[in-house]
Amino acid sequence: MVRGVLVLLTAALALLWGWDVLQAPASPAHPWWIARQEAMYLSGLLAIGLMSLAMYLATRPVWLEAPFGGMDRVYRAHKWAGIVGGSFAIMHWLVEMSDDILKSTIGRAGRVPKEKATGLLDSLQDLAEDFGEWGFYILLVLLAITLWQRFPYRPWRFLHRAMPVIYLLLAFHSVLLAPRDYWTQPVGWVLAGLVAAGIYGALRALLGNIGQARRVRGEILAVTQPAPDVVAVSCRLPAAWHGHRAGQFALVTFDPDEGAHPFTIASADGGDRTVEFRIKALGDHTRQLPSLLRPGQPVDIEGPYGRFDLSRINPRARQFWVAGGIGVTPFLAWLGALQNSSAPAPAADLHYCTRDREHDPFVAELQALCAGLPSVRLHVHGSAQGDVLDAHRLLKDTGPGEAAEVWFCGPGGLADSLRRGIAGIGRRRLSFHQEAFVMR
């Protein structure tokens, strides 16, 4: 879905640009100078169009969760729209810099004449050129550190706050320097809509009210450590919290300086406005949580979000639920919700993949939950015991034409391995659902 949205927007903008080129009167300028100008227009159009999409998606629009398949995919689209848009901005700058090459090869003769402006508009266009240059250089730095995964998260998050300002500079540059005939054609109307959406997102980011309507302040009830590298945090939320569906996640802020992090809600909704998170120590922030958190401390929780939802399973398809490590948390919520459900539990095979099944604290909990659900068959795979799950083992009891669903939450490497294996088997009637919320 994410790739499709980016490809569709890129293709639509390219087609609209092409329509404008076809409508333009013949120019006496040299073909290379014309090509350079149109390449600048196209790369600039794609850059600002995709960055506008990224800025709007940064507002976490809940109405897009259903068509995108979850807020994790909305965020992924935001991330890649920004990266691809930034790449087109680099292309735009490189084309701009190519004028010296053309001057040295074909000379200044035959250049495309510039659209003349006077008075205030001329001054604004000069300012827009400066804004575009400053914004581009800052964008280039931010794009580099975003792609450099070893750059520490906290300073990256601080620098990332500058993106709305950079976007506004580039939007000003784009609107003031776009060809005037754009605004009388579909390409200009679409550009105006995208820039308006991007400005809306940038202003909301600068005002700090993204997600405010879905944010509540709760209180930590208990902090425990079921394992040396896992902390369980139970929270009580106010009446403004309207509950969650099993499998959803929330953006949790324990420390305002650290900001919000997405954690799956590991408990089912019992109607008492309490939620529990199981958090694995995967970075500096999460490693420090056991020593930082205490009962009675406030916690800001935004959500719930996500479509990794028990109610979305297809009852006519064979169910395979696969959890890897801390990815077991949505399935703990699923199993908890099924304990008190009046409807019969679906028939499903739950595969839990861990390093050492003999010492994993989740194994006993899963066994206890599944004991009351005879239709859910638990399979525990411990790599230390030489038991590694692959696609053949996962699907060994299914026929080639049987409809099946895989609901997966865990490491990306395991997901990729299972996907490749399933593709190698040639299973066509199989849906693979995966939640993958990566902050950068």
Side-chain angles (χ1 to χ4, degrees):
M1 178 65 184
V2 172
R3 184 182 300 174
V5 169
L6 299 184
V7 170
L8 181 61
L9 179 59
T10 301
L13 291 174
L15 287 173
L16 292 171
W17 163 84
W19 175 259
D20 174 76
V21 172
L22 292 175
Q23 300 304 306
S27 172
H30 192 286
W32 285 15
W33 283 113
I34 296 174
R36 173 183 175 273
Q37 175 179 271
E38 293 302 334
M40 283 182 58
Y41 288 160
L42 176 59
S43 57
L45 178 65
L46 295 175
I48 197 62
L50 287 163
M51 285 191 286
S52 297
L53 174 64
M55 285 308 310
Y56 177 73
L57 294 180
T59 64
R60 297 192 279 277
V62 179
W63 70 275
L64 285 178
E65 275 209 287
F68 273 70
M71 189 57 71
D72 59 315
R73 284 168 173 77
V74 172
Y75 184 82
R76 182 180 289 182
H78 154 78
K79 169 186 171 180
W80 283 106
I83 291 174
V84 177
S87 301
F88 280 121
I90 294 173
M91 187 184 301
H92 181 74
W93 178 80
L94 290 173
V95 174
E96 167 68 23
M97 294 296 103
S98 68
D99 61 342
D100 289 335
I101 298 175
L102 290 182
K103 289 175 188 175
S104 63
T105 53
I106 62 175
R108 295 175 178 270
R111 296 190 67 172
V112 180
K114 289 186 177 182
E115 294 180 332
K116 293 183 179 181
T118 58
L120 178 61
L121 180 59
D122 183 50
S123 300
L124 289 175
Q125 286 184 338
D126 290 340
L127 186 60
E129 289 185 359
D130 292 337
F131 279 2
E133 185 174 0
W134 300 337
F136 167 76
Y137 291 130
I138 303 172
L139 176 67
L140 188 62
V141 173
L142 290 179
L143 183 61
I145 65 173
T146 297
L147 295 174
W148 182 29
Q149 292 296 311
R150 292 191 177 185
F151 191 84
Y153 173 77
R154 183 173 286 194
W156 170 83
R157 177 178 172 272
F158 176 78
L159 293 171
H160 195 67
R161 292 177 178 176
M163 281 304 302
V165 176
I166 297 169
Y167 171 79
L168 292 175
L169 293 176
L170 296 176
F172 183 76
H173 170 90
S174 301
V175 171
L176 265 294
L177 297 178
R180 292 178 205 168
D181 69 326
Y182 271 20
W183 308 113
T184 61
Q185 296 192 49
V187 62
W189 308 336
V190 172
L191 175 60
L194 287 168
V195 170
I199 291 173
Y200 164 80
L203 293 178
R204 286 198 60 186
L206 291 172
L207 293 172
N209 64 5
I210 291 177
Q212 190 172 32
R214 301 174 68 86
R215 192 181 306 145
V216 298
R217 169 153 289 195
E219 177 188 2
I220 296 177
L221 293 178
V223 182
T224 59
Q225 276 194 274
D229 60 346
V230 176
V231 60
V233 185
S234 180
C235 308
R236 178 186 290 117
L237 305 181
W241 178 262
H242 299 301
H244 69 280
R245 299 189 303 274
Q248 290 190 297
F249 68 87
L251 295 170
V252 184
T253 303
F254 296 116
D255 177 2
D257 292 334
E258 178 67 25
H261 285 260
F263 298 121
T264 298
I265 303 172
S267 56
D269 190 344
D272 56 357
R273 300 197 306 275
T274 62
V275 295
E276 184 181 56
F277 302 97
R278 306 286 183 91
I279 304 168
K280 188 176 179 64
L282 297 173
D284 293 340
H285 174 62
T286 49
R287 274 194 290 269
Q288 295 170 1
L289 290 181
S291 61
L292 294 176
L293 303 183
R294 295 288 182 272
Q297 284 181 264
V299 56
D300 290 326
I301 296 179
E302 179 192 329
Y305 295 113
R307 301 270 292 171
F308 201 90
D309 186 348
L310 181 61
S311 65
R312 293 183 61 231
I313 68 171
N314 181 0
R316 295 182 295 276
R318 178 80 177 271
Q319 293 295 311
F320 296 96
W321 303 345
V322 181
I326 200 64
V328 72
T329 49
F331 298 106
L332 293 177
W334 282 21
L335 296 173
L338 290 171
Q339 302 294 319
N340 302 316
S341 174
S342 58
D349 288 276
L350 171 56
H351 294 263
Y352 176 51
C353 304
T354 179
R355 287 193 181 92
D356 186 352
R357 66 184 175 209
E358 301 299 331
H359 300 92
D360 190 298
F362 290 116
V363 172
E365 186 174 3
L366 288 170
Q367 290 172 337
L369 288 168
C370 291
L373 301 169
S375 63
V376 179
R377 297 171 292 276
L378 176 64
H379 312 269
V380 181
H381 306 273
S383 57
Q385 288 76 33
D387 186 358
V388 178
L389 180 66
D390 59 26
H392 289 278
R393 295 191 64 186
L394 180 68
L395 304 176
K396 65 178 181 178
D397 296 328
T398 62
E402 185 178 359
E405 282 188 333
V406 176
W407 289 82
F408 178 94
C409 187
L414 177 58
D416 294 341
S417 175
L418 290 176
R419 285 180 182 273
R420 288 193 299 269
I422 291 169
I425 294 172
R427 287 299 302 269
R428 297 184 181 275
R429 299 186 62 195
L430 186 146
S431 299
F432 197 106
H433 304 269
Q434 178 187 5
E435 188 169 73
F437 206 113
V438 181
M439 291 299 288
R440 55 179 293 200

